[in-house]
Amino acid sequence: MEAVQTFGRKKTATAVAHCKRGRGLIRVNGAPLELLEPAILKFKVYEVLLLLGEERFANVDIRIRVQGGGVVSQVYAIRQALAKSIVAFYQKYVDEASKKEIKEILVQYDRTLLVADPRRCEPKKFGGPGARARFQKSYR
């Protein structure tokens, strides 16, 4: 069976994409991509499809599981997993030239589609309400 498994990450959200030969289905947590909420962020995921064109996704089925993080982080994790899975699939089962072409298009548009963002939340320290802020000084 021709299949690849890739992941996308953003903060604490992790999306795992399972890409195999099929008829163009893309599902997120068992639901079709059209039902992705919030509607405004849906287009962030569609960017990958619009950049590469529907025909590249016509012969593959992609199932994505996502967990952790908030809604925005999950959407960014999903789009990264989607982009990485199509690149991995083309590298493994199609040819190197088309994989290179796909990668060029994606990186030129937005590097975070293939490379994870390493920024994380800084831990809170003692002596203050947050990571950097200190408690207010009072003399009385």
Side-chain angles (χ1 to χ4, degrees):
M1 192 173 97
E2 295 184 353
V4 290
Q5 209 170 17
T6 55
F7 64 90
R9 281 205 179 113
K10 172 76 171 156
K11 292 181 173 179
T12 55
T14 307
V16 180
H18 189 75
C19 182
K20 61 179 180 156
R21 281 233 189 266
R23 54 179 205 277
L25 286 174
I26 299 174
R27 292 182 163 271
V28 177
N29 285 349
L33 200 57
E34 297 81 60
L35 301 179
L36 195 66
E37 286 294 319
I40 296 166
L41 288 170
K42 197 190 300 183
F43 291 101
K44 284 308 263 181
V45 178
Y46 275 121
E47 279 175 0
V48 182
L49 299 168
L50 299 170
L51 279 171
L52 301 176
E54 301 278 323
E55 68 280 351
R56 286 207 173 98
F57 292 89
N59 61 348
V60 291
D61 283 353
I62 301 173
R63 287 194 167 74
I64 303 170
R65 295 189 315 274
V66 63
Q67 55 189 25
V71 252
V72 177
S73 290
Q74 283 194 349
V75 166
Y76 276 86
I78 289 167
R79 74 200 281 261
Q80 190 182 64
L82 189 62
K84 282 169 79 174
S85 72
I86 202 78
V87 168
F89 186 86
Y90 269 72
Q91 180 179 13
K92 203 169 178 185
Y93 300 114
V94 188
D95 62 337
E96 197 66 32
S98 55
K99 170 246 172 180
K100 205 169 183 63
E101 187 187 329
I102 289 171
K103 211 168 174 178
E104 289 287 310
I105 295 167
L106 294 173
V107 170
Q108 190 180 353
Y109 179 74
D110 184 0
R111 192 161 176 268
T112 56
L113 283 169
L114 296 174
V115 182
D117 187 351
R119 293 177 298 174
R120 293 289 174 270
C121 187
E122 191 177 340
K124 180 197 175 301
K125 282 90 174 179
F126 55 84
R132 298 283 174 96
R134 298 295 98 201
F135 288 128
Q136 196 170 342
K137 193 172 176 185
S138 143
Y139 291 102
R140 223 162 243 61

